[in-house]
Amino acid sequence: MTSSTQRQNLRRQLRLQRKQLSSRQQHIHARKLANVLQRSRHFKQAKNVAFYLAEDGEISAEAAIQLAWKSRKTVYLPVLSPFADELFFAAYTSKTRLKLNRFGIAEPAVSIRHCKRAHQLQLILMPLVGFDSQGNRLGMGGGFYDRSLHFRRQQKNWRKPRLIGLAHECQKTVAIPVEDWDIPVDAIATEKTLYRF
Ligand SMILES: Nc1ncnc2c1ncn2[C@@H]1O[C@H](COP(=O)(O)OP(=O)(O)OP(=O)(O)O)[C@@H](O)[C@H]1O
Ligand SMILES: [Mg+2]
């Protein structure tokens, strides 16, 4: 089986698992995740943090967003560039107007000119489909985070931005077949714990 087929099969299987969680379980996981993040040093120290609005059974970051607002952090959400397959990041408050992008995903209705690039943020919390014990991350397959974080490949030990993947524990798998372009994360936070790599 090719690596690409393996990745597709893994995606299908892991997406099915997270979609089977009840809304009650989703709610509990979101609260527990916020607690796990609150105890993490990188979350405590970061003043500007990118989150995401959950889709497709992804673990919800909303409880964590509330915490971030309370701690006076600046919260950002990804905005898809209309010109390239790259993510920009727009400030997000309770007053921010949202619109649907070309994938039907809600994002702040702002011009790219008013957005930040990934390297300007201190911490990026990213969704994922699967992760393994090495910090490898399997996304939905668009390569958007990988492309936007490509600069991390040129140097090891980047201090900024820190990358933490957010996931349900059921998204953990033995080994993700990785490709050259995949950007690993520094840590994964689940409803149970924070895994550091
Ligand atoms: N730095 C890059 N430059 C150009 N293309 C890239 C880059 N990174 C990834 N891609 C392309 O994106 C496609 C999808 O990548 P991949 O399967 O790793 O997505 P993913 O990690 O699941 O998605 P995402 O990053 O959006 O969560 C690949 O076919 C790859 O060619
Ligand atoms: Mg990838």
Side-chain angles (χ1 to χ4, degrees), residues 7 137 146 181-182:
R7 281 159 73 99
R137 167 184 179 276
D146 287 327
W181 58 77
D182 283 323

Side-chain angles (χ1 to χ4, degrees), residues 101-133:
N101 67 20
R102 61 184 135 110
F103 293 106
I105 296 173
E107 59 179 39
V110 294
S111 157
I112 290 297
R113 281 184 294 129
H114 299 123
C115 292
K116 291 210 184 301
R117 308 279 302 268
H119 66 88
Q120 295 174 287
L121 299 173
Q122 286 170 303
L123 175 62
I124 299 182
L125 303 175
M126 49 217 276
L128 55 87
V129 172
F131 69 97
D132 65 17
S133 59

Side-chain angles (χ1 to χ4, degrees), residues 85-96:
D85 284 338
E86 196 187 328
L87 300 174
F88 286 73
F89 296 88
Y92 175 53
T93 71
S94 57
K95 298 199 173 68
T96 303

Side-chain angles (χ1 to χ4, degrees), residues 130 148 150 169:
S148 313
H150 185 70
E169 198 62 38

Side-chain angles (χ1 to χ4, degrees), residues 64-184:
I65 290 176
Q66 295 291 339
L67 267 179
W69 280 336
K70 268 192 208 136
S71 325
R72 299 184 172 281
K73 298 181 194 299
T74 309
V75 170
Y76 291 85
L77 287 180
V79 171
L80 194 55
S81 162
F83 316 111
D85 284 338
E86 196 187 328
L87 300 174
F88 286 73
F89 296 88
Y92 175 53
T93 71
S94 57
K95 298 199 173 68
T96 303
R97 199 166 59 84
L98 301 173
K99 67 166 174 58
L100 299 184
N101 67 20
R102 61 184 135 110
F103 293 106
I105 296 173
E107 59 179 39
V110 294
S111 157
I112 290 297
R113 281 184 294 129
H114 299 123
C115 292
K116 291 210 184 301
R117 308 279 302 268
H119 66 88
Q120 295 174 287
L121 299 173
Q122 286 170 303
L123 175 62
I124 299 182
L125 303 175
M126 49 217 276
L128 55 87
V129 172
F131 69 97
D132 65 17
S133 59
Q134 310 294 307
N136 294 312
R137 167 184 179 276
L138 185 71
M140 289 284 274
F144 292 98
Y145 279 96
D146 287 327
R147 248 179 254 108
S148 313
L149 295 164
H150 185 70
F151 62 91
R152 290 243 317 189
R153 292 176 55 80
Q154 280 131 39
Q155 193 185 316
K156 287 254 185 286
N157 302 321
W158 282 87
R159 290 178 56 82
K160 212 178 91 170
R162 292 282 169 188
L163 306 178
I164 304 185
L166 307 187
H168 300 286
E169 198 62 38
C170 66
Q171 292 172 259
K172 189 173 170 200
T173 185
V174 179
I176 306 267
V178 287
E179 298 287 358
D180 284 348
W181 58 77
D182 283 323
I183 307 292

